[in-house]
Short mmCIF file of all heavy atoms in Angstrom, two decimals:
data_model
loop_
_atom_site.label_atom_id
_atom_site.label_comp_id
_atom_site.label_asym_id
_atom_site.label_seq_id
_atom_site.Cartn_x
_atom_site.Cartn_y
_atom_site.Cartn_z
N GLY A 13 -1.78 4.99 4.85
CA GLY A 13 -1.87 6.41 5.12
C GLY A 13 -3.00 6.80 6.05
O GLY A 13 -3.56 5.96 6.76
N PRO A 14 -3.35 8.09 6.05
CA PRO A 14 -4.26 8.65 7.03
C PRO A 14 -5.64 8.00 7.05
O PRO A 14 -6.20 7.66 6.00
CB PRO A 14 -4.38 10.13 6.62
CG PRO A 14 -3.70 10.27 5.33
CD PRO A 14 -2.79 9.10 5.15
N ASN A 15 -6.13 7.84 8.26
CA ASN A 15 -7.48 7.34 8.56
C ASN A 15 -7.65 5.85 8.32
O ASN A 15 -8.72 5.31 8.62
CB ASN A 15 -8.55 8.14 7.78
CG ASN A 15 -8.50 9.61 8.13
OD1 ASN A 15 -8.49 9.96 9.30
ND2 ASN A 15 -8.42 10.47 7.13
N LEU A 16 -6.62 5.17 7.86
CA LEU A 16 -6.75 3.72 7.69
C LEU A 16 -6.69 3.02 9.04
O LEU A 16 -7.06 1.85 9.15
CB LEU A 16 -5.70 3.19 6.71
CG LEU A 16 -5.90 3.70 5.27
CD1 LEU A 16 -4.76 3.24 4.36
CD2 LEU A 16 -7.24 3.24 4.69
N LEU A 19 -10.21 1.86 10.01
CA LEU A 19 -10.91 0.80 9.27
C LEU A 19 -11.65 -0.10 10.25
O LEU A 19 -11.13 -0.45 11.31
CB LEU A 19 -9.93 -0.03 8.44
CG LEU A 19 -9.38 0.64 7.19
CD1 LEU A 19 -8.39 -0.29 6.49
CD2 LEU A 19 -10.48 1.07 6.24
N ARG A 22 -14.82 3.17 10.16
CA ARG A 22 -14.89 4.29 9.22
C ARG A 22 -15.74 3.90 8.00
O ARG A 22 -15.35 2.98 7.26
CB ARG A 22 -13.47 4.61 8.77
CG ARG A 22 -13.37 5.61 7.65
CD ARG A 22 -11.97 5.61 7.05
NE ARG A 22 -11.85 6.64 6.05
CZ ARG A 22 -10.88 6.72 5.16
NH1 ARG A 22 -9.91 5.82 5.16
NH2 ARG A 22 -10.85 7.69 4.29
N LEU A 26 -18.52 1.53 2.79
CA LEU A 26 -17.54 1.78 1.72
C LEU A 26 -16.27 0.93 1.92
O LEU A 26 -15.76 0.31 1.00
CB LEU A 26 -17.17 3.27 1.78
CG LEU A 26 -16.59 3.98 0.57
CD1 LEU A 26 -17.47 3.80 -0.65
CD2 LEU A 26 -16.48 5.48 0.92
N TYR A 27 -15.78 0.94 3.19
CA TYR A 27 -14.47 0.34 3.45
C TYR A 27 -14.51 -1.04 4.11
O TYR A 27 -13.47 -1.66 4.27
CB TYR A 27 -13.65 1.30 4.32
CG TYR A 27 -13.25 2.58 3.60
CD1 TYR A 27 -13.79 3.81 3.97
CD2 TYR A 27 -12.36 2.55 2.54
CE1 TYR A 27 -13.44 4.98 3.31
CE2 TYR A 27 -12.01 3.71 1.86
CZ TYR A 27 -12.55 4.92 2.25
OH TYR A 27 -12.19 6.06 1.59
N VAL A 77 1.49 -0.11 -1.11
CA VAL A 77 1.30 1.28 -0.70
C VAL A 77 -0.17 1.66 -0.83
O VAL A 77 -0.70 1.74 -1.94
CB VAL A 77 2.17 2.24 -1.55
CG1 VAL A 77 1.87 3.69 -1.20
CG2 VAL A 77 3.65 1.93 -1.35
N ASN A 78 -0.83 1.85 0.32
CA ASN A 78 -2.14 2.51 0.33
C ASN A 78 -1.92 3.85 1.03
O ASN A 78 -2.02 3.94 2.25
CB ASN A 78 -3.22 1.70 1.03
CG ASN A 78 -4.58 2.38 0.89
OD1 ASN A 78 -4.67 3.50 0.37
ND2 ASN A 78 -5.63 1.72 1.35
N ALA A 79 -1.59 4.86 0.25
CA ALA A 79 -1.29 6.18 0.82
C ALA A 79 -2.57 6.94 1.17
O ALA A 79 -2.51 8.08 1.62
CB ALA A 79 -0.43 6.99 -0.13
N ALA A 80 -3.74 6.29 0.96
CA ALA A 80 -5.04 6.88 1.30
C ALA A 80 -5.15 8.27 0.65
O ALA A 80 -4.81 8.42 -0.52
CB ALA A 80 -5.25 6.87 2.81
N ALA A 81 -5.58 9.28 1.41
CA ALA A 81 -5.80 10.60 0.81
C ALA A 81 -4.51 11.18 0.20
O ALA A 81 -4.56 11.92 -0.79
CB ALA A 81 -6.37 11.56 1.85
N TYR A 82 -3.35 10.81 0.77
CA TYR A 82 -2.08 11.34 0.23
C TYR A 82 -1.80 10.85 -1.19
O TYR A 82 -0.97 11.42 -1.90
CB TYR A 82 -0.92 11.00 1.15
CG TYR A 82 -0.90 11.77 2.44
CD1 TYR A 82 -0.54 11.16 3.64
CD2 TYR A 82 -1.23 13.13 2.47
CE1 TYR A 82 -0.53 11.86 4.84
CE2 TYR A 82 -1.23 13.84 3.66
CZ TYR A 82 -0.87 13.20 4.84
OH TYR A 82 -0.87 13.90 6.01
N THR A 83 -2.48 9.76 -1.58
CA THR A 83 -2.36 9.29 -2.97
C THR A 83 -2.61 10.42 -3.96
O THR A 83 -1.95 10.51 -5.00
CB THR A 83 -3.45 8.21 -3.24
OG1 THR A 83 -3.34 7.18 -2.27
CG2 THR A 83 -3.37 7.66 -4.65
N HIS A 84 -3.58 11.24 -3.59
CA HIS A 84 -4.07 12.25 -4.54
C HIS A 84 -3.38 13.60 -4.38
O HIS A 84 -3.66 14.52 -5.15
CB HIS A 84 -5.59 12.43 -4.34
CG HIS A 84 -6.33 11.13 -4.18
ND1 HIS A 84 -6.40 10.19 -5.19
CD2 HIS A 84 -6.99 10.57 -3.11
CE1 HIS A 84 -7.09 9.14 -4.75
NE2 HIS A 84 -7.45 9.34 -3.50
N GLU A 102 0.46 -0.10 -5.79
CA GLU A 102 -0.49 0.82 -5.17
C GLU A 102 -1.79 0.07 -4.93
O GLU A 102 -2.30 -0.59 -5.85
CB GLU A 102 -0.72 2.01 -6.12
CG GLU A 102 -1.75 3.01 -5.61
CD GLU A 102 -1.98 4.15 -6.62
OE1 GLU A 102 -1.12 4.39 -7.51
OE2 GLU A 102 -3.02 4.80 -6.51
N VAL A 103 -2.30 0.12 -3.71
CA VAL A 103 -3.56 -0.58 -3.42
C VAL A 103 -4.58 0.38 -2.83
O VAL A 103 -4.23 1.33 -2.12
CB VAL A 103 -3.37 -1.79 -2.46
CG1 VAL A 103 -2.45 -2.83 -3.06
CG2 VAL A 103 -2.89 -1.37 -1.10
N HIS A 104 -5.83 0.12 -3.14
CA HIS A 104 -6.96 0.85 -2.56
C HIS A 104 -8.08 -0.13 -2.26
O HIS A 104 -8.37 -1.01 -3.08
CB HIS A 104 -7.49 1.93 -3.51
CG HIS A 104 -6.46 2.96 -3.83
ND1 HIS A 104 -6.09 3.92 -2.93
CD2 HIS A 104 -5.70 3.15 -4.93
CE1 HIS A 104 -5.14 4.68 -3.48
NE2 HIS A 104 -4.88 4.22 -4.69
N LEU A 105 -8.69 0.05 -1.11
CA LEU A 105 -9.86 -0.78 -0.77
C LEU A 105 -11.00 -0.52 -1.74
O LEU A 105 -11.68 -1.44 -2.19
CB LEU A 105 -10.31 -0.46 0.67
CG LEU A 105 -9.27 -0.82 1.73
CD1 LEU A 105 -9.28 0.20 2.85
CD2 LEU A 105 -9.53 -2.20 2.27
N THR A 106 -11.21 0.75 -2.04
CA THR A 106 -12.33 1.13 -2.90
C THR A 106 -11.86 1.31 -4.35
O THR A 106 -10.66 1.43 -4.62
CB THR A 106 -12.95 2.47 -2.42
OG1 THR A 106 -11.95 3.49 -2.48
CG2 THR A 106 -13.49 2.34 -1.01
N ASN A 107 -12.84 1.35 -5.24
CA ASN A 107 -12.55 1.67 -6.64
C ASN A 107 -12.53 3.19 -6.77
O ASN A 107 -13.57 3.83 -6.97
CB ASN A 107 -13.63 1.05 -7.53
CG ASN A 107 -13.42 1.38 -9.00
OD1 ASN A 107 -12.53 2.16 -9.35
ND2 ASN A 107 -14.22 0.81 -9.85
N VAL A 108 -11.35 3.77 -6.64
CA VAL A 108 -11.23 5.24 -6.59
C VAL A 108 -11.73 5.90 -7.89
O VAL A 108 -12.19 7.03 -7.87
CB VAL A 108 -9.78 5.70 -6.29
CG1 VAL A 108 -9.44 5.43 -4.83
CG2 VAL A 108 -8.77 5.05 -7.21
N ARG A 111 -15.38 6.93 -7.81
CA ARG A 111 -15.74 7.85 -6.72
C ARG A 111 -15.59 9.30 -7.20
O ARG A 111 -15.64 9.58 -8.39
CB ARG A 111 -14.89 7.53 -5.48
CG ARG A 111 -15.16 6.10 -4.96
CD ARG A 111 -14.38 5.80 -3.70
NE ARG A 111 -14.74 6.70 -2.62
CZ ARG A 111 -14.06 6.80 -1.48
NH1 ARG A 111 -12.97 6.05 -1.29
NH2 ARG A 111 -14.44 7.63 -0.54
N GLU A 112 -15.45 10.22 -6.27
CA GLU A 112 -15.38 11.65 -6.63
C GLU A 112 -14.20 11.91 -7.57
O GLU A 112 -13.15 11.27 -7.44
CB GLU A 112 -15.20 12.53 -5.38
CG GLU A 112 -16.22 12.33 -4.28
CD GLU A 112 -15.74 11.37 -3.22
OE1 GLU A 112 -15.17 10.31 -3.56
OE2 GLU A 112 -15.94 11.67 -2.03
N PHE A 114 -11.89 14.03 -7.63
CA PHE A 114 -10.56 14.32 -7.05
C PHE A 114 -9.82 13.06 -6.66
O PHE A 114 -8.60 13.09 -6.42
CB PHE A 114 -10.66 15.30 -5.86
CG PHE A 114 -11.41 14.77 -4.67
CD1 PHE A 114 -10.77 13.99 -3.72
CD2 PHE A 114 -12.75 15.09 -4.47
CE1 PHE A 114 -11.44 13.50 -2.60
CE2 PHE A 114 -13.45 14.62 -3.36
CZ PHE A 114 -12.81 13.82 -2.43
N ARG A 115 -10.53 11.90 -6.60
CA ARG A 115 -9.84 10.64 -6.30
C ARG A 115 -9.36 9.92 -7.56
O ARG A 115 -8.73 8.87 -7.49
CB ARG A 115 -10.76 9.70 -5.50
CG ARG A 115 -11.14 10.23 -4.14
CD ARG A 115 -11.93 9.20 -3.35
NE ARG A 115 -12.76 9.85 -2.37
CZ ARG A 115 -12.35 10.21 -1.15
NH1 ARG A 115 -11.12 9.94 -0.74
NH2 ARG A 115 -13.17 10.81 -0.31
N HIS A 116 -9.72 10.46 -8.73
CA HIS A 116 -9.36 9.75 -9.97
C HIS A 116 -7.88 9.90 -10.30
O HIS A 116 -7.34 9.10 -11.06
CB HIS A 116 -10.20 10.27 -11.15
CG HIS A 116 -11.66 10.04 -10.99
ND1 HIS A 116 -12.59 10.42 -11.92
CD2 HIS A 116 -12.37 9.46 -9.98
CE1 HIS A 116 -13.81 10.09 -11.51
NE2 HIS A 116 -13.70 9.51 -10.33
N VAL A 128 -4.04 -1.98 -7.67
CA VAL A 128 -5.19 -2.84 -7.39
C VAL A 128 -6.16 -2.04 -6.54
O VAL A 128 -5.78 -1.51 -5.50
CB VAL A 128 -4.79 -4.12 -6.61
CG1 VAL A 128 -6.02 -5.02 -6.42
CG2 VAL A 128 -3.68 -4.88 -7.32
N GLY A 129 -7.42 -1.96 -6.98
CA GLY A 129 -8.41 -1.21 -6.21
C GLY A 129 -9.79 -1.76 -6.39
O GLY A 129 -10.11 -2.36 -7.43
N GLY A 130 -10.62 -1.59 -5.36
CA GLY A 130 -12.03 -1.91 -5.49
C GLY A 130 -12.44 -3.23 -4.88
O GLY A 130 -13.62 -3.59 -4.90
N GLY A 132 -11.86 -4.24 -1.59
CA GLY A 132 -11.79 -4.25 -0.13
C GLY A 132 -10.44 -4.78 0.33
O GLY A 132 -9.40 -4.55 -0.32
N SER A 135 -7.90 -6.33 -2.00
CA SER A 135 -6.97 -5.54 -2.82
C SER A 135 -5.53 -5.71 -2.30
O SER A 135 -4.58 -5.80 -3.07
CB SER A 135 -7.34 -4.05 -2.80
OG SER A 135 -8.57 -3.82 -3.44
N TYR A 136 -5.40 -5.73 -0.96
CA TYR A 136 -4.07 -5.91 -0.37
C TYR A 136 -3.52 -7.31 -0.70
O TYR A 136 -2.34 -7.47 -1.03
CB TYR A 136 -4.13 -5.77 1.15
CG TYR A 136 -4.21 -4.35 1.68
CD1 TYR A 136 -5.39 -3.62 1.59
CD2 TYR A 136 -3.11 -3.77 2.32
CE1 TYR A 136 -5.48 -2.33 2.11
CE2 TYR A 136 -3.19 -2.48 2.83
CZ TYR A 136 -4.38 -1.76 2.73
OH TYR A 136 -4.45 -0.50 3.25
C1 LIG B 1 -8.38 4.80 -0.23
C2 LIG B 1 -9.04 5.75 -1.25
C3 LIG B 1 -8.64 7.19 -0.98
O1 LIG B 1 -9.26 8.05 -1.94
C4 LIG B 1 -9.12 7.60 0.39
O2 LIG B 1 -8.69 8.93 0.69
C5 LIG B 1 -8.70 6.66 1.46
C6 LIG B 1 -8.70 5.22 1.19
C7 LIG B 1 -8.85 3.34 -0.41
O3 LIG B 1 -8.18 2.47 0.13
O4 LIG B 1 -9.88 3.10 -1.04
O5 LIG B 1 -8.47 7.05 2.60
O6 LIG B 1 -6.97 4.84 -0.44
#
Side-chain angles (χ1 to χ4, degrees):
N15 301 310
L16 294 175
L19 286 179
R22 172 194 185 195
L26 202 53
Y27 292 112
V77 175
N78 185 354
Y82 289 141
T83 305
H84 316 296
E102 177 182 341
V103 299
H104 299 286
L105 296 144
T106 60
N107 178 354
V108 287
R111 298 183 61 192
E112 306 96 316
F114 65 84
R115 296 186 205 275
H116 297 180
V128 183
S135 293
Y136 282 74

